[in-house]
Amino acid sequence: MIELEKAYDPKEAEKNHYERWESSGFFAPEINEDPHAKPFSIVIPPPNVTGSLHMGHALQHTIMDVLTRWKRMQGYRTLWLPGTDHAGISVQRKVVEQLRRDENKKPLDIGREEFIRRAWAWKEQYGNTITEQMRREGASVDWSRHRFTMDESLSTAVRSVFVRLYDEGWIYRGLRIVNWCPKDKTVLSDLEVKEETRKDGKLYYLRYPVAGSDSTITVATTRPETMLGDMAVAVSPSDKRYKELVGKTIDLPLTSRQIPIVADEYVDAEFGTGAVKITPAHDPNDYLVGQRHNLEQQLVMNDDATMNSAAGAEFGGMDRFAAREKVVAMFDELGLLEKIEDHEITLPVCERCKTIVEPILSEQWFVKMDQMRDLALDLMREEGAPRFSPQIPNEKVYTTWLENLKDWTISRQLWWGHQIPAWYDDDGNVFVAMTESEAREKAGGKDIRQDQDVLDTWFSSGLWAFSTFGWDGEATSTPDIETFLPTDVLVTGRDIIFLWVSRMIMLTRKFTGKKAFNDVVVTGTVLGKDGKPMSKSRNNGVDPIEMFDKFGVDATRIYLASIATGADIKWNDIGVETYRNFANKIWNATRFCLMNCENAAVDRASLLIGDDAALADRWIVSRLNKTAIDVSRALERYEFHTAVSLLYHFFWDDFCDWYIELKKDEITAGDAAASTRIVTIIEIALRMLHPFMPYLTEELWQKLPGTGSTLHHAAYRSAGQTIMLTSFPPGDAAAIDETAESEMSAVIDLIKKVRNIRSEMNISPSIKFTIHIAATVDHQAVFNANKAQILKLARADKLIIAADLDVPKASAKAVTGEASIAVPLEGLIDFEKERERLRIQIAKLTEEKSRIDGQLSNSNFVDRAPSEKVRELRDRQVELSSQIETLTANIAALE
RNA sequence: GCCGUCUUAGCUCAGUGGUAGAGCACUCGCUUCACACGCGAUAGGCCACAAGUUCAAAUCUUGUAGACGGCACCA
């Protein structure tokens, strides 16, 4: 006899299996021995090397692992490819900080080469936190195919793509207003800039003197310091107030410069004073106005957002906000400050460091997005690809974003990353090439030096779907590309659909001609207990590792899978606790069977039962198959929560609460057939649960008698024994037995009614009583056949089944759809209480009946509703009438 | 400003054109030989509000209110 601990210990199971799974090669597609096996592939959204596992990862990894394990069990050649992202800015910042802390040095003190060497060292030392955590999660990724975005092959891919896009004119270098982060000292793409609303913002009204007159023109601004770079004041061409002033000149205060007043459609006469200061080098709109009026572009800030020398001697070196105060103070002194108004403003901030981003004019590299966008839009229009789950609202958000796409700033002023493969000669000519020697060749042997910038991290991750399979520009097709591209599904969060998903779709199409993936599963956000996104600053984060320690990996996983696809959810520990309890339930159900299975072993044949088998057996086999079919259907639709709910209720309600209880006597008596069957049912249930709860199911499966590689899917016959390579139960529609299901519900209804009588009449569970049942001949047969089970579960000692009830007055009564029930309770019954109990039941049934009566007396309903629906209601009406009649008579009998 | 999502039991959430569901909490029982991380039995909802479509609306449409998200703009 196998003895299990009384309660499931997740930690024990968690340490027993992962290493063997991994070292046995179970995760790699090569484990599949079937040369004709269909492929199934997922590439992981590569987490940052600086990252550690958060709840969003845990959610996405769970879904990817469920899909991967499920497909693997279905015999697919399955690959879930893991990897990490070099995370340009994040790693750079870590290394800068380390350098400052340990040696009090700045990057420039040690130089680029040494800095990069240290960044690699940092990555080697700290960069595998998350991959170790993924092992704890049970992620069945193929570690032999692990990729890093700065691997040699992936770096070659980056250069190949850059060179080719440049040669085709899809990448260009140009002077534009860009988002500048003064703290990170790099340009950012539009997507890396977030907004922050400041209620304490101010709108400053500054008076500019008109040259050669006493009059002034007032402009309103939220950034007074930029006036030092003003090149004009613009007014609306249709604004009569300023008509006379257009063409005149302004003596720009605090400077010795004169600037024109121009008329431009950009200006909205209704807003502010109707006059706008124009700073072409520090504002995107002003830049465009400047171009239309041939204005000079003068930067007045340095890369750390201090004012530069062009701002004037008084301001040079001063921080932008100090300069703002000083400008305002000086205007005030000059009597040129009209007023200051409170004005709520939204400021652009750096997504990572929250520093206020400064729009500045700068020369950067860009990807032209017009044709690139069409690659993705055409795919959606022509093939409806990718298919988003949930489709609403993701498909529309994605499409709309594409339609309004602007060019993508791809250069970054960092050292850690893929250095841009562009070289310059002394005259500023550009040579883009795979290597320096190629570039020199293009330059005719002249001295050249490489662009100092690196590429946006998302540029390399945009290639992830194919660069990870060995594409590097030279090798453009590899066995893995042939087999695994397009990948089947991408699982990711909403926040990176634009940053990553869309770019991967375009770049994969462009360079391989293939789709990156067929489907996209968009997960929701796991919010903190306060309903806000988890963040360090809010301190509302929940650490998945803590949950693993507290409730177990499996409980955490299946809880995460129980969240509706795409829905946001507030975290609550109780949800995980529910599934911790579920894990314990599974453990104990198995434990019970193992305690009584000396003569048993898993045997599929034990479930091939005929119509003559016991009702409970026919019923559970039916329920098992129905559940299997429904679970597979749910997974195919990416409705993980539906699958979880089906499994939870099948296992707990059907199997534990009813089947085990019904079979208990046979099992404990050592009935070999019963033990074999129940062990076989558990084995199949464990397989269905395995993708969600890999550790628990493997732990128990290994203990079940008769399990082994003979149960493996045909594609994995030579592999060492493991539940993860058994076949996922497909369910057999022919095994669904509607007769058994309806007969069983008649039995269950009956038992529940008797239990209700016991509970409401306050009869102690230890008291056994007699049950009288009146039913049709057919149902009499059903109840007779299950007499022993009814007696046991209703805690009765005698069952009298007949066509009519023949009982003493002192009886408690009830009705089901199939039976009238009476329990004689001489001396135990409280007549008034019993009458009240019956009245409540009658009231409920009457309420339902009057609703149905109403519907059936509505000729519109009878004429127009589907006839089946009408018949259904008529049947119900008859049943209700009869039940009400019986209960009413029961009350009368008590008077 | 534009686009979109959400509002269901005390809490956290499923669900659906045709009798409102789960888990937890609550109430009442239970040392029933797998499990108290358990077993049994109750109670608890005009499915945010209003109008419309329909034989039928919690579900579809429109509007209102509240919560939230994305994008754009912000002199």
Side-chain angles (χ1 to χ4, degrees):
Chain A
M1 182 157 89
I2 306 165
E3 262 297 359
L4 261 55
E5 291 296 319
K6 203 169 169 182
Y8 171 54
D9 176 12
K11 290 212 179 64
E12 185 66 24
E14 283 161 27
K15 75 177 184 216
N16 284 344
H17 305 293
Y18 195 88
E19 211 178 292
R20 188 177 73 95
W21 291 336
E22 184 182 343
S23 63
S24 305
F26 293 164
F27 299 157
E30 288 73 23
I31 195 73
N32 193 309
E33 299 157 26
D34 175 8
H36 306 296
K38 282 186 284 181
F40 178 83
S41 58
I42 296 180
V43 290
I44 199 169
N48 289 352
V49 280
T50 50
S52 61
L53 198 73
H54 62 238
M55 215 37 98
H57 293 126
L59 169 61
Q60 288 167 17
H61 295 171
T62 295
I63 287 169
M64 284 184 261
D65 201 39
V66 166
L67 289 169
T68 303
R69 286 178 183 270
W70 170 55
K71 285 290 176 181
R72 188 184 292 116
M73 290 171 78
Q74 287 188 328
Y76 284 76
R77 179 175 303 282
T78 306
L79 169 62
W80 178 14
L81 185 142
T84 43
D85 186 285
H86 68 276
I89 292 181
S90 297
V91 170
Q92 173 113 5
R93 201 180 283 146
K94 297 268 184 198
V95 177
V96 168
E97 175 58 22
Q98 194 180 47
L99 203 57
R100 190 193 60 76
R101 181 166 28 90
D102 297 348
E103 302 170 50
N104 198 26
K105 283 183 182 166
K106 292 189 167 162
L108 282 171
D109 299 333
I110 61 171
R112 182 175 193 131
E113 206 173 315
E114 175 61 14
F115 185 90
I116 289 172
R117 202 190 61 76
R118 297 204 187 192
W120 276 104
W122 188 94
K123 184 250 172 191
E124 293 308 321
Q125 192 176 352
Y126 302 108
N128 55 3
T129 305
I130 201 153
T131 53
E132 284 312 309
Q133 290 171 321
M134 283 180 64
R135 288 183 160 86
R136 176 84 189 274
E137 289 181 294
S140 65
V141 295
D142 180 7
W143 292 109
S144 74
R145 282 177 169 81
H146 182 272
R147 299 285 183 266
F148 177 56
T149 45
M150 281 173 66
D151 284 347
E152 199 176 322
S153 155
L154 276 71
S155 299
T156 309
V158 166
R159 286 196 303 276
S160 301
V161 166
F162 187 95
V163 171
R164 196 168 133 193
L165 289 178
Y166 178 81
D167 288 345
E168 294 184 20
W170 290 27
I171 279 182
Y172 66 93
R173 186 171 160 81
L175 195 63
R176 299 280 185 282
I177 297 281
V178 294
N179 310 296
W180 184 266
C181 175
K183 184 162 181 225
D184 292 325
K185 294 185 190 166
T186 179
V187 63
L188 303 170
S189 72
D190 293 347
L191 291 172
E192 291 161 298
V193 175
K194 297 294 161 203
E195 278 160 16
E196 205 174 282
T197 303
R198 296 279 173 88
K199 294 216 189 307
D200 59 349
K202 298 270 188 284
L203 191 58
Y204 302 87
Y205 288 78
L206 308 180
R207 290 199 182 106
Y208 285 4
V210 179
S213 85
D214 294 337
S215 63
T216 61
I217 183 166
T218 303
V219 296
T221 179
T222 54
R223 297 191 297 158
E225 69 281 8
T226 62
M227 62 78 49
L228 298 166
D230 279 1
M231 291 299 153
V233 165
V235 297
S236 169
S238 57
D239 193 334
K240 294 192 179 81
R241 293 173 295 173
Y242 299 121
K243 206 160 188 178
E244 306 298 310
L245 290 175
V246 174
K248 294 232 161 75
T249 301
I250 277 165
D251 289 321
L252 188 64
L254 317 188
T255 73
S256 53
R257 291 190 291 116
Q258 292 202 318
I259 58 173
I261 297 172
V262 300
D264 195 281
E265 293 290 352
Y266 158 69
V267 180
D268 174 5
E270 304 297 313
F271 191 93
T273 63
V276 187
K277 58 188 277 310
I278 299 297
T279 322
H282 285 280
D283 184 280
N285 289 308
D286 291 7
Y287 174 78
L288 295 172
V289 174
Q291 285 201 317
R292 287 195 284 272
H293 299 276
N294 291 315
L295 301 177
E296 202 186 321
Q297 299 148 348
Q298 180 59 60
L299 276 172
V300 290
M301 281 184 209
N302 298 308
D303 65 4
D304 60 352
T306 57
M307 307 310 288
N308 67 16
S309 56
E314 279 183 280
F315 294 96
M318 187 179 276
D319 178 78
R320 54 183 162 168
F321 300 115
R324 175 174 304 173
E325 285 180 27
K326 182 159 181 171
V327 165
V328 173
M330 289 174 79
F331 265 78
D332 199 13
E333 276 171 37
L334 294 167
L336 295 174
L337 179 64
E338 185 172 309
K339 60 178 173 178
I340 303 174
E341 277 182 354
D342 290 334
H343 178 72
E344 182 179 311
I345 46 171
T346 50
L347 294 168
V349 298
C350 172
E351 175 184 47
R352 289 183 189 77
C353 69
K354 311 296 177 208
T355 305
I356 295 171
V357 164
E358 198 63 40
I360 62 160
L361 188 66
S362 177
E363 188 163 37
Q364 301 290 342
W365 288 93
F366 299 88
V367 178
K368 249 168 80 180
M369 295 311 283
D370 45 0
Q371 284 160 289
M372 197 71 103
R373 167 209 6 246
D374 289 342
L375 290 174
L377 278 179
D378 290 349
L379 209 51
M380 181 56 80
R381 285 175 190 143
E382 288 157 19
E383 300 180 37
R387 209 176 47 158
F388 283 94
S389 291
Q391 187 184 14
I392 299 169
N394 296 301
E395 183 178 308
K396 187 174 177 185
V397 171
Y398 166 79
T399 310
T400 309
W401 180 78
L402 283 175
E403 284 162 352
N404 299 298
L405 200 48
K406 291 190 204 152
D407 287 359
W408 172 18
T409 317
I410 50 170
S411 43
R412 293 291 181 277
Q413 286 65 48
L414 305 170
W415 283 347
W416 175 245
H418 300 99
Q419 193 168 356
I420 293 177
W423 284 262
Y424 306 93
D425 65 14
D426 290 342
D427 304 325
N429 295 310
V430 185
F431 307 96
V432 171
M434 288 297 289
T435 63
E436 177 156 5
S437 59
E438 272 180 40
R440 188 173 296 112
E441 206 174 302
K442 286 187 179 176
K446 277 189 288 188
D447 267 359
I448 52 174
R449 54 185 180 78
Q450 189 170 3
D451 193 310
Q452 292 299 292
D453 291 352
V454 300
L455 288 164
D456 182 2
T457 301
W458 296 107
F459 190 88
S460 54
S461 20
L463 317 180
W464 188 251
F466 57 102
S467 64
T468 50
F469 292 139
W471 189 101
D472 64 3
E474 282 156 35
T476 52
S477 194
T478 65
D480 275 4
I481 287 180
E482 293 301 314
T483 309
F484 296 119
L485 194 71
T487 62
D488 289 87
V489 52
L490 186 81
V491 179
T492 190
R494 266 192 297 272
D495 51 338
I496 55 173
I497 290 179
F498 304 150
L499 278 167
W500 186 52
V501 177
S502 62
R503 288 161 180 173
M504 199 157 48
I505 289 167
M506 299 182 237
L507 288 163
T508 306
R509 190 82 199 271
K510 171 76 176 163
F511 287 93
T512 69
K514 293 192 182 197
K515 287 186 283 187
F517 25 77
N518 295 316
D519 300 344
V520 179
V521 172
V522 182
T523 58
T525 310
V526 184
L527 306 168
K529 292 180 177 104
D530 57 358
K532 303 241 165 68
M534 290 185 186
S535 74
K536 282 188 188 120
S537 56
R538 281 196 202 88
N539 196 28
N540 62 348
V542 179
D543 181 359
I545 304 294
E546 273 176 37
M547 291 301 121
F548 295 167
D549 290 340
K550 195 167 168 192
F551 299 112
V553 171
D554 289 327
T556 311
R557 284 173 57 122
I558 194 167
Y559 168 64
L560 289 167
S562 78
I563 300 166
T565 310
D568 290 352
I569 191 162
K570 274 186 229 179
W571 182 266
N572 61 334
D573 283 8
I574 287 168
V576 194
E577 200 178 321
T578 297
Y579 290 101
R580 189 271 314 260
N581 296 349
F582 182 47
N584 193 55
K585 190 75 179 175
I586 296 166
W587 175 266
N588 272 291
T590 311
R591 173 170 177 256
F592 168 73
C593 295
L594 290 176
M595 287 164 73
N596 298 289
C597 68
E598 272 112 302
N599 309 319
V602 171
D603 178 8
R604 282 306 293 277
S606 68
L607 301 190
L608 302 170
I609 54 179
D611 293 345
D612 55 340
L615 174 59
D617 293 318
R618 286 186 284 128
W619 172 74
I620 198 69
V621 168
S622 178
R623 294 291 314 134
L624 180 69
N625 280 281
K626 201 177 227 172
T627 303
I629 288 169
D630 291 346
V631 165
S632 289
R633 185 178 302 145
L635 289 176
E636 272 154 23
R637 296 174 182 174
Y638 302 118
E639 290 170 4
F640 305 96
H641 62 299
T642 307
V644 169
S645 169
L646 286 164
L647 289 167
Y648 184 93
H649 292 292
F650 168 75
F651 199 91
W652 202 311
D653 301 349
D654 296 342
F655 182 68
C656 291
D657 286 352
W658 290 104
Y659 189 71
I660 290 184
E661 295 304 330
L662 289 166
K663 305 294 285 187
K664 211 166 219 174
D665 289 344
E666 287 172 57
I667 306 282
T668 50
D671 181 319
S675 299
T676 298
R677 192 170 297 126
I678 204 164
V679 163
T680 304
I681 291 164
I682 286 192
E683 198 268 340
I684 291 172
L686 290 178
R687 291 194 215 179
M688 290 195 283
L689 287 160
H690 179 259
F692 301 93
M693 311 179 91
Y695 291 117
L696 169 69
T697 51
E698 179 75 305
E699 182 77 9
L700 291 175
W701 189 85
Q702 296 287 351
K703 294 182 197 297
L704 283 181
T707 51
S709 48
T710 49
L711 296 176
H712 282 186
H713 188 282
Y716 312 113
R717 279 287 148 73
S718 349
Q721 65 174 55
T722 173
I723 192 175
M724 63 174 281
L725 298 177
T726 60
S727 59
F728 192 85
D732 176 6
I736 294 173
D737 182 344
E738 296 297 353
T739 308
E741 302 231 4
S742 76
E743 289 181 2
M744 189 67 201
S745 36
V747 172
I748 288 175
D749 280 354
L750 179 91
I751 294 170
K752 280 177 171 283
K753 288 286 193 234
V754 177
R755 283 172 171 173
N756 176 258
I757 288 172
R758 180 187 295 278
S759 186
E760 296 287 314
M761 291 293 107
N762 293 320
I763 313 294
S764 156
S766 58
I767 295 175
K768 302 217 166 179
F769 45 46
T770 301
I771 304 169
H772 292 256
I773 300 170
T776 61
V777 175
D778 286 352
H779 281 106
Q780 284 182 44
V782 171
F783 298 131
N784 259 315
N786 294 280
K787 210 164 183 171
Q789 285 84 351
I790 294 169
L791 287 172
K792 183 174 166 63
L793 298 192
R795 306 190 66 75
D797 52 9
K798 199 171 176 198
L799 198 58
I800 295 166
I801 303 168
D804 298 298
L805 289 180
D806 179 16
V807 294
K809 182 182 167 191
S811 297
K813 292 178 185 167
V815 288
T816 71
E818 298 81 13
S820 290
I821 304 161
V823 177
L825 293 170
E826 195 63 56
L828 294 169
I829 195 162
D830 174 335
F831 286 98
E832 183 43 43
K833 203 170 173 185
E834 170 67 2
R835 278 192 292 269
E836 182 57 23
R837 202 179 63 83
L838 294 172
R839 268 184 229 115
I840 291 169
Q841 290 184 50
I842 290 168
K844 273 188 195 161
L845 297 174
T846 307
E847 192 192 331
E848 188 187 341
K849 183 169 175 292
S850 63
R851 189 171 48 238
I852 290 173
D853 289 346
Q855 268 185 284
L856 287 172
S857 62
N858 179 345
S859 62
N860 276 330
F861 170 76
V862 179
D863 294 345
R864 302 204 196 183
S867 59
E868 194 178 309
K869 191 58 57 188
V870 177
R871 197 177 321 122
E872 222 171 78
L873 282 193
R874 288 220 165 102
D875 290 349
R876 183 66 183 153
Q877 190 184 37
V878 170
E879 184 176 311
L880 287 168
S881 300
S882 134
Q883 291 188 8
I884 291 166
E885 199 178 317
T886 307
L887 291 170
T888 308
N890 290 345
I891 291 186
L894 287 176
E895 298 301 339

